[in-house]
Amino acid sequence: MDTPHVWVARADGSDIVRAEAIVGVGVDLHGNITARVAGGDGASVTLVAANTQHGPHLPEDFHRELIRVLAELSDAAGAFIVRPVFDEPHGWRWINEAL
């Protein structure tokens, strides 16, 4: 079986990082969901920018939900992109799409 190729995109699609390059996911001091990448001297990618005054609230465990999605895709065959989306009935959630 081929190794799955999983990519994680920023909410606005401006940045995409390969999931296997991610060494950590967390919430920074401003409430943003960030991914730390390997080999970048501590480089990180902001996946979701929190807008606490005017935007929808991010779930407290949203960064953990990303880890769950990536773990589920680790057994899948093919290529996928995972990205955060917000919609009124469901709130914030991670979706994956086949490439």
Side-chain angles (χ1 to χ4, degrees), residues 55-77:
H57 179 70
L58 290 169
E60 289 183 23
D61 68 342
F62 199 52
H63 60 300
R64 291 184 207 138
E65 290 177 29
L66 174 59
I67 295 168
R68 278 186 227 118
V69 170
L70 295 178
E72 290 170 2
L73 290 174
S74 68
D75 292 334

Side-chain angles (χ1 to χ4, degrees), residues 10-84:
R10 184 179 161 105
D12 66 5
S14 63
D15 286 314
I16 301 173
V17 64
R18 191 162 190 154
E20 67 184 27
I22 296 173
V23 296
V25 179
V27 181
D28 71 12
L29 296 174
H30 304 288
N32 303 319
I33 304 297
T34 61
R36 290 178 303 284
V37 293
D41 295 328
S44 66
V45 175
T46 300
L47 301 173
V48 184
N51 187 351
T52 56
Q53 294 179 352
H54 304 291
H57 179 70
L58 290 169
E60 289 183 23
D61 68 342
F62 199 52
H63 60 300
R64 291 184 207 138
E65 290 177 29
L66 174 59
I67 295 168
R68 278 186 227 118
V69 170
L70 295 178
E72 290 170 2
L73 290 174
S74 68
D75 292 334
F80 299 90
I81 190 162
V82 176
R83 62 186 177 87

